[in-house]
Amino acid sequence: MPAEPELRTPRLLLRRWRDTDLAPFAALNADPLVMEHFPAPLRPEQSDDLADRIDAGFDERGWGLWAVEIPGTAPFAGFIGLNPAVFDAPFTPAVEVGWRLARAHWGRGYATEGALAALSFGFDELALDEVVSFTTHRNTRSRRVMERLGMRRDPADDFENPNLPDGDALRPHVLYRLDRPTWQRNVAPAAR
Ligand SMILES: CC(C)(COP(=O)(O)OP(=O)(O)OC[C@H]1O[C@@H](n2cnc3c(N)ncnc32)[C@H](O)[C@@H]1OP(=O)(O)O)[C@@H](O)C(=O)NCCC(=O)NCCS
């Protein structure tokens, strides 16, 4: 297997997943507040399956949703990274930037800091032309991260997430986009 890229920021290490991440990942996925904007908290076996799928993505591509370590503070705080969005929607296929952190690590700027490193990887290493992010209308915490990253929403891009059933209150989603010129002009200087 080729050396996997690890991403470092002033406070974070974004790295490949370890078996020891599974228990704290199951704990955060069982937290109703962390999972407020998803259909339901995950059972431990669902959480383990998700970690396995994420890890398999690293084997396939060498990048994905990195495990977040906060050196000196927490060996595992959640994930931040890039994920292929391949479901049926007007903007797909695309690469999404995403994040999920344990509640104890909210309100410190970690999601934005790690996502900037993931965006650098996407634009500078993968040479992507655009990175997207999406969530439910009411997920204001996540939308604030997208806005802090310089991502922009056009309401004309709002979409129904086909992974959720018709009529589900979580199905309507907002889409935020960041294109390469905007990244280079406005966002990259803050990430370097
Ligand atoms: C979405 C999520 C990652 C956002 O976490 P967050 O802590 O609000 O976001 P950031 O890490 O960017 O932190 C920003 C906050 O930290 C504060 N902050 C404190 N110290 C800071 C620092 N040194 N640098 C930057 N911000 C700092 C900011 O003021 C800001 O607070 P505010 O939003 O109340 O103004 C988190 O709520 C989460 O994991 N939610 C559950 C999963 C989820 O919904 N994921 C997204 C699905 S699409």
Side-chain angles (χ1 to χ4, degrees):
M1 192 191 315
E4 303 294 338
E6 289 187 341
L7 308 184
R8 285 180 189 274
T9 75
R11 296 180 296 172
L12 306 176
L13 170 62
L14 273 55
R15 57 160 175 77
R16 278 289 297 256
W17 290 64
R18 299 181 185 142
D19 287 347
T20 49
D21 299 333
L22 293 180
F25 191 47
L28 77 85
N29 283 323
D31 181 339
L33 195 60
V34 170
M35 298 305 281
E36 185 183 358
H37 303 285
F38 295 88
L42 300 186
R43 295 187 303 276
E45 63 273 21
Q46 293 174 308
S47 176
D48 290 355
D49 283 350
L50 176 57
D52 281 349
R53 289 199 303 277
I54 293 172
D55 198 47
F58 279 92
D59 284 338
E60 281 165 31
R61 298 181 298 269
W63 53 271
L65 297 168
W66 282 273
V68 176
E69 184 171 329
I70 311 173
T73 298
F76 176 82
F79 66 65
I80 299 173
L82 301 173
N83 194 40
V86 292
F87 53 78
D88 187 23
F91 63 93
T92 57
V95 174
E96 169 200 15
V97 60
W99 37 74
R100 187 181 302 175
L101 298 179
R103 213 192 311 179
H105 304 296
W106 295 7
R108 292 172 169 80
Y110 291 140
T112 302
E113 183 173 316
L116 276 173
L119 288 172
S120 281
F121 184 86
F123 286 112
D124 300 341
E125 304 295 324
L126 303 179
L128 299 174
D129 291 325
E130 181 180 65
V131 177
V132 302
S133 198
F134 45 85
T135 190
T136 57
H137 286 256
R138 291 178 53 201
N139 193 347
T140 48
R141 279 195 192 88
S142 193
R143 292 180 61 170
R144 280 207 296 272
V145 178
M146 297 170 197
E147 285 159 13
R148 277 192 289 272
L149 292 169
M151 307 188 85
R152 291 289 168 259
R153 171 198 175 212
D154 179 346
D157 285 333
D158 289 1
F159 69 104
E160 300 279 308
N161 188 330
N163 295 322
L164 293 156
D166 273 342
D168 191 306
L170 298 175
R171 194 171 144 99
H173 272 52
V174 291
L175 180 77
Y176 283 71
R177 296 176 183 267
L178 181 62
D179 62 25
R180 165 179 285 282
T182 308
W183 158 258
Q184 284 174 334
R185 192 175 57 245
N186 296 346
V187 190
R192 293 190 176 119

